[in-house]
Amino acid sequence: MSVISYKLRESAKGQACQIRLPGICNCDPSTVVLAHVGGGSGMGQKCDDIHSAYTCSACHDVIDGRSGPVMLSETTIRIFVFEGMIRTQRLFLKQNLVMVAT
């Protein structure tokens, strides 16, 4: 694992869940990890760390298919996941974990 990947993954500790699935999110920062969520490979498949989101254990279980059926459509889940990824990327920028070349 690269130093950058390690720093991104470690940055999840104590963060708020950025996916926030309604009726599912446990809002517990102690359960938050950096979960891979997309990047063209589809949810539940591994991809690079920039395509990830700070995710609580309850939301993570849903996006990885470990929680069984839920009362949200796949489209709704996908929207929340990708919006969470965008919020997480903004936090990466704010924390200087990722920089944009100018």
Side-chain angles (χ1 to χ4, degrees), residues 49-97:
D49 287 333
I50 196 68
H51 296 108
S52 56
Y54 293 149
T55 310
C56 73
S57 59
C59 290
H60 197 187
D61 285 346
V62 170
I63 66 172
D64 279 357
R66 292 187 295 263
S67 65
V70 295
M71 298 301 294
L72 299 171
S73 71
E74 183 156 338
T75 299
T76 298
I77 293 169
R78 245 179 165 19
I79 290 168
F80 275 85
V81 165
F82 286 105
E83 286 178 351
M85 181 177 68
I86 291 166
R87 283 190 291 271
T88 300
Q89 289 172 345
R90 286 184 184 139
L91 290 169
F92 288 163
L93 290 166
K94 187 176 180 179
Q95 298 170 62
N96 293 316
L97 294 166

Side-chain angles (χ1 to χ4, degrees), residues 1-14:
M1 176 187 329
S2 73
V3 171
I4 293 171
S5 289
Y6 176 78
K7 286 182 179 182
L8 292 177
R9 292 176 189 190
E10 285 294 303
S11 74
K13 291 181 181 176

